[in-house]
């Protein structure tokens, strides 16, 4: 089966009444437009998406009256940063930005992929953080940069 577009997302469409199969991806694989995957039930799929958007956790790749195939994401090793003040958030965001490290923000949390150098920097600045395994909704996107 070749998947060429996403049907929707489980946050918008209920699939609880259907038999669900999952495709487990590394978060970096969410950015791939073309790939071959296998569901947790052993069904092989080809994914060939247009450039409209990257895959997200919860995307429905296929749905009929009985079945749904849903994207799920394997856990990432991340640092969850919780600065106590706006000044501390600015300082940390600046330091992380200088390293061209992609970050995601959820509520009062800043999440970056685990990096021992960032962990050391956070410890030196006495910033509250934890190292966790988390399933992220979206992939970390590489940051393009130029220092002209």
């Amino acid at each position: 089966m070749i998947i060429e577009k996403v049907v929707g997302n489980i946050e918008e469409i209920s699939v609880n009444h259907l038999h669900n199969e999952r495709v487990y991806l590394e978060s970096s694989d969410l950015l791939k437009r073309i790939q071959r995957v296998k569901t947790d039930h052993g069904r092989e799929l080809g994914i060939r998406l247009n450039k409209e958007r990257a895959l997200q956790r919860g995307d429905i790749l296929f749905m009929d009256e009985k079945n749904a195939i849903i994207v799920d994401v394997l856990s990432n090793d991340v640092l969850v940063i919780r600065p106590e003040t706006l000044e501390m958030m600015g300082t940390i965001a600046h330091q992380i930005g200088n390293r061209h490290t992609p970050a995601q923000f959820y509520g009062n949390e800043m999440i970056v992929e685990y990096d021992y150098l960032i962990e050391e920097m956070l410890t030196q600045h006495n910033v509250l953080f934890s190292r966790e395994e988390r399933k992220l909704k979206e992939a970390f996107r590489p940051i393009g940069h130029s220092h002209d």
Side-chain angles (χ1 to χ4, degrees):
M1 177 185 311
I2 304 292
I3 306 297
E4 294 184 326
K5 69 177 192 169
V6 173
V7 174
N9 193 286
I10 60 173
E11 292 181 8
E12 305 154 352
I13 301 171
S14 175
V15 294
N16 294 336
H17 62 290
L18 302 174
H19 172 262
N20 285 231
E21 291 184 52
R22 303 267 177 191
V23 171
Y24 290 95
L25 301 175
E26 298 281 340
S27 72
S28 59
D29 290 339
L30 295 174
L31 299 174
K32 295 179 181 176
R33 291 183 334 97
I34 300 171
Q35 57 188 308
R36 180 172 223 94
V37 298
K38 191 179 277 193
T39 71
D40 60 348
H41 288 69
R43 187 186 318 206
E44 289 192 27
L45 304 172
I47 299 175
R48 184 176 58 215
L49 301 174
N50 62 23
K51 296 180 183 180
E52 67 185 47
R53 71 171 178 88
L55 288 171
Q56 294 183 352
R57 185 171 148 218
D59 277 347
I60 303 166
L61 299 176
F62 171 81
M63 186 169 73
D64 64 15
E65 61 279 346
K66 295 181 184 176
N67 302 296
I69 299 175
I70 302 162
V71 172
D72 205 342
V73 180
L74 299 171
S75 296
N76 285 59
D77 186 10
V78 297
L79 294 171
V80 180
I81 306 164
R82 299 175 187 90
E84 294 178 304
T85 66
L86 184 59
E87 180 182 358
M88 184 58 65
M89 174 56 93
T91 300
I92 295 309
H94 179 75
Q95 293 284 334
I96 290 172
N98 277 344
R99 298 168 193 259
H100 302 283
T101 300
Q104 296 183 17
F105 297 87
Y106 300 97
N108 293 328
E109 297 178 336
M110 176 185 216
I111 300 174
V112 297
E113 287 183 293
Y114 176 76
D115 180 314
Y116 76 94
L117 294 172
I118 293 177
E119 183 178 40
E120 287 176 4
M121 184 259 305
L122 295 169
T123 301
Q124 289 171 355
H125 284 89
N126 296 316
V127 176
L128 291 176
F129 73 94
S130 58
R131 183 176 177 183
E132 300 177 14
E133 289 287 324
R134 283 234 184 145
K135 286 187 174 192
L136 303 173
K137 183 171 174 68
E138 300 176 5
F140 286 106
R141 292 189 177 277
I143 298 174
H145 66 280
S146 173
H147 290 281
D148 295 335

